[in-house]
Amino acid sequence: MSVKVRFAPSPTGMLHVGNARTALITWLFCRSQDGHFLLRIDDTDRERSKAEYEEAIEDSLTWLGLNWDEKANQKDRLARYDEQIEFLKESGRLYACYETPEELSLKRKSQLSRGKPPIYDRAALELTPEEIAKYEAEGRSPHWRFKLNHAPIEWNDHIRGEVKFNGGDLSDPVVLREDGSPLYHLCSVIDDIDFGITHVIRGEDHVSNTATHVQMFEALGATPPEFAHNALISDAEGGKLSKRLGSMSIRDLRDDEGLEPMAISSLLARLGTSDPIEAFTSLEPLIESFDLSKFSRASAKFDPAEIFRLNAKILHDTDYEDIRQRLQAIGRADIDRPSWEAISPNIERLSDVEDWWKVAKGPVEPIIEEPEYIAEALAQLPPTPWTEDTWGEWTAKLKETTGRKGKALFMPLRQALTGMAHGPEMDKLLLLIGPEKVQNRLSSKKAA
Ligand code: GLU
């Protein structure tokens, strides 16, 4: 059987971490199975759906490297939905309801106060023709519900294992609004059938929806696809995802946090699985190691610090050739290979190169707390041309002539040369700064 999956975002907002994880899991599964990936835009809610969100979602997916083989918009399929809705009405699986939202909310409250689950009571099935005529005369239009069979519903979930529901424990889902427009549930099922979807992968917040969908597939004469419901992401303490990163869109993570797409994917692909979280510079190894059965049913804990650690590691592992264009784009085409290799082990975000470039090219404010030692260091500077060994030769000599070692030997030099107490390895940095500036900084000349 060839695999066909879909990722089905609603274009009512940006792509966030949680949804991006579902997209990534779906995509990795698909690519690991040589499958076909459908991007389905769930835009039946015409009021809340916006073209700019649709574009932003596509842009975020593309940036993450998640391509699709086919795209469909639900708004273009309304005629097809009508056809299937007619069929379900004729076969007695849809029924008209006239309750207002206020009446429904009252019913729910009264059920809850009596300790009963808030399941729709099917009062609409008892309406007499006179009562219906009265509602219609008042100008009420019905919404429509799908009539669930009160029978067991079961499936073998690729992540959750055996899942069991009873139709009688669920409310008949509303599938058509008062204005006649179809809602997500039925449209999703009709699409999954028409597009030949073999595996539906989505968040566990959809598990009870799936139970009702299973009966819709059957009512439309189709065999339900396979299902996998991934556990949602929680913060490190197991609570709801923090405002800080959890509420951030992928676009914010790119633009405001300066994260690399592979830092996000490296984390999201392995979070909540039995595989270790590692920094990857391409999606390939994630495809190769992907297996739905490695995902846990327990919520996946998201630690923001981890994503920055991965980001730093990925930048460190990125070859100069692969970063050149990005450096150009941030106006740092002047960073060459040796400079990149000196700087990259010290940055957390690409934009940090700017700080290191400033240290190298100046001006810096040298910190000179031991002028005699620094004067000695200036006198002992090795002759040019310098190599990566120059730093070692210089400090070995200083060790000999001053008897200094360790921190007392290195720190004053670092502070004089960079104006800071931490930073890139000095052997590489020394070359970046260059002989002229090194001399100026050691003699504390301004604008060095
Ligand atoms: N538009 C739905 C959502 O974003 C799709 C769920 C599904 O995958 O069926 O939650």
Side-chain angles (χ1 to χ4, degrees):
M1 175 183 72
S2 64
V3 161
K4 186 164 181 186
V5 298
R6 85 298 194 283
F7 173 59
S10 306
T12 52
M14 296 294 200
L15 186 70
H16 283 70
V17 170
N19 255 350
R21 178 161 170 263
T22 300
L24 179 65
I25 295 173
T26 309
W27 189 88
L28 290 172
F29 171 71
C30 178
R31 296 301 176 228
S32 73
Q33 304 286 315
D34 281 328
H36 184 96
F37 189 99
L38 166 71
L39 173 63
R40 188 184 84 199
I41 305 295
D42 283 3
D43 51 4
T44 49
D45 185 341
R46 299 309 300 144
E47 243 163 63
R48 292 173 59 226
S49 298
K50 299 237 159 27
E52 60 260 38
Y53 288 134
E54 182 174 333
E55 275 163 36
I57 291 169
E58 289 185 26
D59 181 56
S60 293
L61 290 172
T62 303
W63 180 70
L64 288 170
L66 310 182
N67 59 344
W68 50 94
D69 305 303
E70 188 181 1
K71 185 190 157 190
N73 286 68
Q74 290 194 324
K75 69 169 164 26
D76 301 333
R77 295 187 28 86
L78 298 175
R80 172 63 179 157
Y81 303 145
D82 281 347
E83 245 171 62
Q84 293 289 61
I85 285 162
E86 269 324 300
F87 170 79
L88 288 176
K89 281 182 183 172
E90 277 163 26
S91 47
R93 289 307 290 273
L94 300 190
Y95 63 98
C97 304
Y98 289 86
E99 292 94 344
T100 62
E102 295 73 31
E103 286 164 355
L104 287 173
S105 149
L106 263 180
K107 271 190 197 191
R108 267 195 299 272
K109 277 186 196 145
S110 125
Q111 284 168 316
L112 287 170
S113 69
R114 285 180 286 133
K116 295 207 161 160
I119 298 169
Y120 177 61
D121 62 6
R122 294 189 162 174
L125 287 176
E126 312 298 324
L127 291 175
T128 61
E130 293 73 34
E131 285 168 320
I132 292 177
K134 191 173 146 266
Y135 282 137
E136 300 271 347
E138 280 171 13
R140 284 200 200 188
S141 335
H143 56 273
W144 294 72
R145 289 187 188 258
F146 177 77
K147 194 171 164 210
L148 291 169
N149 290 329
H150 288 181
I153 304 167
E154 296 178 9
W155 72 91
N156 196 357
D157 195 285
H158 283 261
I159 295 176
R160 300 173 67 82
E162 279 296 326
V163 181
K164 289 187 181 147
F165 278 88
N166 199 309
D169 298 336
L170 299 163
S171 274
D172 291 338
V174 177
V175 294
L176 269 181
R177 293 192 190 85
E178 284 75 9
D179 65 3
S181 61
L183 281 155
Y184 155 74
H185 298 286
L186 194 51
C187 303
S188 176
V189 169
I190 295 170
D191 287 342
D192 288 338
I193 297 171
D194 288 356
F195 286 90
I197 299 302
T198 59
H199 294 73
V200 168
I201 302 174
R202 57 187 167 206
E204 68 178 1
D205 49 332
H206 283 287
V207 171
S208 61
N209 288 338
T210 296
T212 68
H213 294 184
V214 165
Q215 287 202 5
M216 293 182 201
F217 279 101
E218 288 162 356
L220 290 167
T223 307
E226 305 277 315
F227 295 103
H229 293 86
N230 55 278
L232 302 185
I233 309 179
S234 68
D235 65 16
E237 281 78 49
K240 229 180 144 166
L241 206 52
S242 76
K243 272 260 164 344
R244 172 87 171 80
L245 285 177
S247 63
M248 287 182 104
S249 64
I250 297 299
R251 187 170 273 190
D252 290 341
L253 293 179
R254 179 188 74 183
D255 297 345
D256 300 349
E257 299 294 327
L259 287 172
E260 301 297 306
M262 277 314 301
I264 299 172
S265 297
S266 295
L267 182 62
L268 295 184
R270 290 284 177 87
L271 206 62
T273 75
S274 49
D275 278 335
I277 291 171
E278 294 168 78
F280 292 103
T281 52
S282 91
L283 291 163
E284 246 0 272
L286 290 171
I287 298 175
E288 275 158 32
S289 59
F290 187 86
D291 193 335
L292 275 175
S293 67
K294 291 178 179 170
F295 282 80
S296 159
R297 289 187 55 166
S299 73
K301 295 195 169 58
F302 181 87
D303 176 6
E306 186 129 50
I307 207 165
F308 289 105
R309 183 182 65 75
L310 291 168
N311 207 64
K313 178 82 169 63
I314 284 165
L315 287 169
H316 188 177
D317 293 346
T318 302
D319 186 74
Y320 179 63
E321 273 316 308
D322 299 323
I323 205 83
R324 249 169 96 160
Q325 284 191 341
R326 303 264 313 282
L327 289 169
Q328 241 166 40
I330 61 167
R332 283 273 75 99
D334 45 359
I335 294 184
D336 56 10
R337 178 180 284 278
S339 310
W340 171 249
E341 285 170 3
I343 293 170
S344 62
N346 298 281
I347 57 175
E348 204 173 51
R349 307 166 161 85
L350 187 64
S351 57
D352 295 343
V353 296
E354 203 59 45
D355 299 338
W356 294 116
W357 198 239
K358 276 191 203 132
V359 173
K361 298 301 157 197
V364 307
E365 200 68 49
I367 300 174
I368 298 182
E369 284 164 353
E370 297 173 85
E372 277 167 35
Y373 173 45
I374 295 302
E376 172 74 7
L378 178 60
Q380 301 285 353
L381 265 182
T384 53
W386 287 356
T387 69
E388 279 200 18
D389 298 329
T390 303
W391 169 258
E393 289 159 14
W394 186 34
T395 50
K397 207 152 154 217
L398 284 169
K399 187 175 176 183
E400 221 178 272
T401 58
T402 65
R404 286 171 180 258
K405 53 183 187 215
K407 208 175 162 198
L409 176 68
F410 299 113
M411 188 54 82
L413 299 176
R414 179 182 284 284
Q415 289 185 326
L417 292 174
T418 68
M420 292 192 296
H422 60 91
E425 286 169 41
M426 287 304 299
D427 52 354
K428 298 206 174 87
L429 196 54
L430 195 71
L431 293 179
L432 274 185
I433 300 170
E436 191 188 337
K437 286 194 194 326
V438 166
Q439 289 196 11
N440 288 344
R441 289 180 195 175
L442 292 175
S443 41
S444 197
K445 290 215 179 107
K446 285 282 164 225

Short mmCIF file of all heavy atoms in Angstrom, two decimals, residues 381-383 385-396 427 430-431:
data_model
loop_
_atom_site.label_atom_id
_atom_site.label_comp_id
_atom_site.label_asym_id
_atom_site.label_seq_id
_atom_site.Cartn_x
_atom_site.Cartn_y
_atom_site.Cartn_z
N LEU A 381 55.98 40.22 21.35
CA LEU A 381 55.13 39.77 20.22
C LEU A 381 55.98 39.10 19.14
O LEU A 381 56.98 39.67 18.71
CB LEU A 381 54.40 40.96 19.61
CG LEU A 381 52.98 41.27 20.08
CD1 LEU A 381 52.43 42.45 19.31
CD2 LEU A 381 52.06 40.06 19.92
N PRO A 382 55.59 37.91 18.71
CA PRO A 382 56.37 37.22 17.67
C PRO A 382 56.35 38.00 16.34
O PRO A 382 55.40 38.75 16.09
CB PRO A 382 55.67 35.88 17.51
CG PRO A 382 54.84 35.72 18.73
CD PRO A 382 54.46 37.11 19.15
N PRO A 383 57.37 37.78 15.53
CA PRO A 383 57.40 38.46 14.22
C PRO A 383 56.31 37.94 13.29
O PRO A 383 55.86 36.80 13.44
CB PRO A 383 58.79 38.09 13.68
CG PRO A 383 59.17 36.84 14.41
CD PRO A 383 58.50 36.88 15.74
N PRO A 385 55.02 36.82 9.39
CA PRO A 385 53.57 36.51 9.38
C PRO A 385 53.17 35.57 10.51
O PRO A 385 53.94 34.69 10.88
CB PRO A 385 53.39 35.84 8.02
CG PRO A 385 54.72 35.23 7.70
CD PRO A 385 55.74 36.15 8.32
N TRP A 386 51.94 35.80 10.99
CA TRP A 386 51.42 34.98 12.08
C TRP A 386 50.68 33.75 11.57
O TRP A 386 50.12 33.78 10.47
CB TRP A 386 50.46 35.81 12.95
CG TRP A 386 51.20 36.82 13.81
CD1 TRP A 386 52.54 36.99 13.92
CD2 TRP A 386 50.59 37.79 14.66
NE1 TRP A 386 52.84 38.00 14.79
CE2 TRP A 386 51.65 38.51 15.27
CE3 TRP A 386 49.28 38.12 14.99
CZ2 TRP A 386 51.42 39.56 16.16
CZ3 TRP A 386 49.06 39.15 15.87
CH2 TRP A 386 50.13 39.86 16.47
N THR A 387 50.71 32.74 12.36
CA THR A 387 49.95 31.52 12.04
C THR A 387 49.12 31.15 13.29
O THR A 387 49.20 31.85 14.30
CB THR A 387 50.88 30.33 11.73
OG1 THR A 387 51.54 29.96 12.94
CG2 THR A 387 51.89 30.68 10.66
N GLU A 388 48.42 30.02 13.20
CA GLU A 388 47.64 29.59 14.37
C GLU A 388 48.54 29.19 15.53
O GLU A 388 48.07 29.02 16.65
CB GLU A 388 46.72 28.41 13.99
CG GLU A 388 45.46 28.91 13.31
CD GLU A 388 44.31 27.90 13.34
OE1 GLU A 388 44.34 26.97 14.16
OE2 GLU A 388 43.40 28.07 12.52
N ASP A 389 49.83 29.04 15.25
CA ASP A 389 50.76 28.67 16.33
C ASP A 389 51.28 29.89 17.07
O ASP A 389 51.92 29.76 18.13
CB ASP A 389 51.96 27.88 15.76
CG ASP A 389 51.50 26.58 15.13
OD1 ASP A 389 50.50 26.02 15.62
OD2 ASP A 389 52.13 26.15 14.14
N THR A 390 51.05 31.05 16.48
CA THR A 390 51.65 32.27 17.05
C THR A 390 51.25 32.49 18.51
O THR A 390 52.08 32.80 19.36
CB THR A 390 51.25 33.48 16.19
OG1 THR A 390 51.68 33.23 14.85
CG2 THR A 390 51.89 34.76 16.71
N TRP A 391 49.98 32.32 18.78
CA TRP A 391 49.48 32.53 20.16
C TRP A 391 50.23 31.62 21.14
O TRP A 391 50.69 32.06 22.19
CB TRP A 391 47.98 32.28 20.21
CG TRP A 391 47.39 32.21 21.60
CD1 TRP A 391 47.04 31.09 22.27
CD2 TRP A 391 47.11 33.30 22.48
NE1 TRP A 391 46.54 31.40 23.51
CE2 TRP A 391 46.57 32.77 23.67
CE3 TRP A 391 47.26 34.70 22.39
CZ2 TRP A 391 46.17 33.55 24.76
CZ3 TRP A 391 46.85 35.48 23.48
CH2 TRP A 391 46.32 34.91 24.63
N GLY A 392 50.38 30.35 20.76
CA GLY A 392 51.05 29.38 21.62
C GLY A 392 52.52 29.76 21.85
O GLY A 392 53.03 29.68 22.96
N GLU A 393 53.16 30.18 20.76
CA GLU A 393 54.57 30.56 20.86
C GLU A 393 54.74 31.78 21.77
O GLU A 393 55.62 31.83 22.63
CB GLU A 393 55.14 30.87 19.47
CG GLU A 393 55.31 29.63 18.58
CD GLU A 393 55.37 29.97 17.09
OE1 GLU A 393 55.55 31.17 16.75
OE2 GLU A 393 55.21 29.04 16.28
N TRP A 394 53.84 32.72 21.55
CA TRP A 394 53.91 33.99 22.31
C TRP A 394 53.73 33.73 23.81
O TRP A 394 54.50 34.16 24.64
CB TRP A 394 52.82 34.92 21.76
CG TRP A 394 52.80 36.32 22.30
CD1 TRP A 394 53.87 37.08 22.68
CD2 TRP A 394 51.63 37.12 22.52
NE1 TRP A 394 53.45 38.31 23.10
CE2 TRP A 394 52.07 38.38 23.01
CE3 TRP A 394 50.27 36.92 22.32
CZ2 TRP A 394 51.18 39.40 23.32
CZ3 TRP A 394 49.39 37.95 22.62
CH2 TRP A 394 49.83 39.18 23.11
N THR A 395 52.66 32.98 24.13
CA THR A 395 52.36 32.77 25.56
C THR A 395 53.41 31.85 26.22
O THR A 395 53.71 32.01 27.40
CB THR A 395 50.94 32.20 25.76
OG1 THR A 395 50.77 31.09 24.89
CG2 THR A 395 49.87 33.24 25.47
N ALA A 396 54.02 30.94 25.44
CA ALA A 396 55.07 30.07 26.00
C ALA A 396 56.27 30.93 26.42
O ALA A 396 56.86 30.73 27.47
CB ALA A 396 55.47 29.03 24.98
N ASP A 427 43.93 31.70 19.93
CA ASP A 427 44.85 31.45 18.82
C ASP A 427 44.23 31.89 17.49
O ASP A 427 44.90 32.46 16.64
CB ASP A 427 45.29 29.97 18.77
CG ASP A 427 44.13 29.00 18.80
OD1 ASP A 427 42.98 29.45 18.98
OD2 ASP A 427 44.38 27.79 18.65
N LEU A 430 43.51 35.91 17.59
CA LEU A 430 44.71 36.71 17.38
C LEU A 430 44.91 37.00 15.88
O LEU A 430 45.24 38.11 15.48
CB LEU A 430 45.93 35.97 17.94
CG LEU A 430 47.19 36.81 18.13
CD1 LEU A 430 47.02 37.78 19.29
CD2 LEU A 430 48.41 35.91 18.40
N LEU A 431 44.66 35.96 15.07
CA LEU A 431 44.81 36.12 13.63
C LEU A 431 43.74 37.04 13.06
O LEU A 431 43.99 37.81 12.15
CB LEU A 431 44.70 34.76 12.94
CG LEU A 431 45.84 33.77 13.22
CD1 LEU A 431 45.60 32.47 12.50
CD2 LEU A 431 47.17 34.37 12.80
#
